Amino acid sequence: MQVDDCAPATIRTLLDIMARLRDPDNGCPWDRQQDFRSIAPYTLEEACEVVDAIERDDRADLQDELGDLLFQVVYHAQLASEAGWFDFSDVVGGICDKMVRRHPHVFADVVISDADAQTHAWERHKQGERGALSGGSVLDGVPLVLPALMRANKLQKKASRVGFDWPGILGVFDKVDEELDELRAEIDIGLDQEALKDEAGDLLFAVVNLVRHAGVEPEAALRQANRKFMKRFHQVEKHCHEDGISISETDLDTLDWYWDQVKLRE
């Protein structure tokens, strides 16, 4: 297969490249060795890199990362095709059918008043589809592989859509205080690591609930906090270097002073 540099690339071009990479005789040795499990970590990584490019507002990088993520979809579809399960056209057909089915207010005559109503309708469609197949739970469909913070948020949202939620944010503040007190008590006892882990988990789950009720996406908020911490800590390291001090040998009071100076400059 020759790739024509002058012709505009299409999804067919990418599918042909993928098939060539997996060719048993003339393909890439590394690509031929891969399977669903070995490729899955790359899929997760590429999805995270798309989010990172969006949050950095790097449009050129976003284009590149979206291509990498698309390639992951094509890779899995190629593996499935080789196994005789389905191919890329089946993947496209399935998502097209699903989008039409779950948007009857766009493609049929159902009336949806606003975005919030659509969110609830979407969840009812999903639950109806899953229930028809397996009699499943409201919480089905939240992947175990998600980061724990993101998964907690999605579980809480799903429960909320059927009415299992705090009626207001004040009750969530009280719950966070309660969980903090229980964790403090467990730390004071200091005997049972499993109980300590359990209470710490309850506190984190309650904080996710609080942030969600405040209208903030917990995963995005923590990523922002991570970036802010890194930026400030790098400045502390810079000040230590400029003053001829080794950061690993600097006392905490000095580091705190540098930290406060960095925050003041911001």
Side-chain angles (χ1 to χ4, degrees), residues 123-138:
E123 202 60 38
R124 288 195 300 273
H125 280 295
K126 288 174 65 176
Q127 186 60 26
E129 290 165 7
R130 290 195 179 104
L133 294 174
S134 61
S137 165
V138 168

Side-chain angles (χ1 to χ4, degrees), residues 74-264:
V74 168
Y75 210 129
H76 286 290
Q78 175 67 27
L79 294 171
S81 178
E82 293 170 9
W85 299 350
F86 54 82
D87 60 18
F88 185 77
S89 64
D90 296 318
V91 174
V92 174
I95 190 60
C96 288
D97 289 345
K98 183 186 294 184
M99 290 301 102
V100 171
R101 187 170 65 248
R102 292 186 181 176
H103 291 84
H105 56 294
V106 175
F107 300 103
D109 56 0
V110 174
V111 176
I112 295 290
S113 57
D114 54 32
D116 187 58
Q118 165 56 16
T119 298
H120 285 80
W122 177 276
E123 202 60 38
R124 288 195 300 273
H125 280 295
K126 288 174 65 176
Q127 186 60 26
E129 290 165 7
R130 290 195 179 104
L133 294 174
S134 61
S137 165
V138 168
L139 302 180
D140 285 348
V142 181
L144 288 169
V145 73
L146 281 179
L149 189 72
M150 187 182 297
R151 190 162 191 267
N153 188 46
K154 290 185 75 69
L155 289 171
Q156 291 171 10
K157 283 183 175 180
K158 281 182 170 285
S160 176
R161 287 167 189 160
V162 294
F164 189 74
D165 199 1
W166 296 93
I169 195 170
L170 292 179
V172 194
F173 273 109
D174 293 338
K175 183 62 176 175
V176 170
D177 289 339
E178 174 190 325
E179 297 298 348
L180 186 58
D181 288 341
E182 291 180 4
L183 177 59
R184 184 181 290 114
E186 199 59 48
I187 290 173
D188 289 341
I189 297 172
L191 297 176
D192 190 338
Q193 281 297 311
E194 278 303 311
L196 183 60
K197 182 169 68 173
D198 189 60
E199 294 299 345
D202 288 346
L203 175 60
L204 290 170
F205 196 83
V207 170
V208 170
N209 229 332
L210 178 63
V211 174
R212 178 178 63 85
H213 271 266
V216 176
E217 194 71 22
E219 191 77 18
L222 188 55
R223 281 198 299 268
Q224 180 173 310
N226 288 340
R227 287 195 300 272
K228 181 166 61 177
F229 177 83
M230 287 180 64
K231 179 182 176 182
R232 290 175 175 174
F233 193 80
H234 288 161
Q235 288 299 309
V236 171
E237 291 176 315
K238 180 182 177 183
H239 287 309
C240 287
H241 178 73
E242 290 172 347
D243 292 344
I245 301 171
S246 170
I247 191 169
S248 61
E249 298 173 1
T250 305
D251 62 86
L252 181 57
D253 287 341
T254 302
L255 293 176
D256 280 340
W257 185 84
Y258 282 134
W259 182 271
D260 289 339
Q261 296 305 303
V262 170
K263 290 176 63 178
L264 284 172

Side-chain angles (χ1 to χ4, degrees), residues 13 16 58 145 147 179:
T13 312
D16 289 343
D58 189 329
V145 73
E179 297 298 348

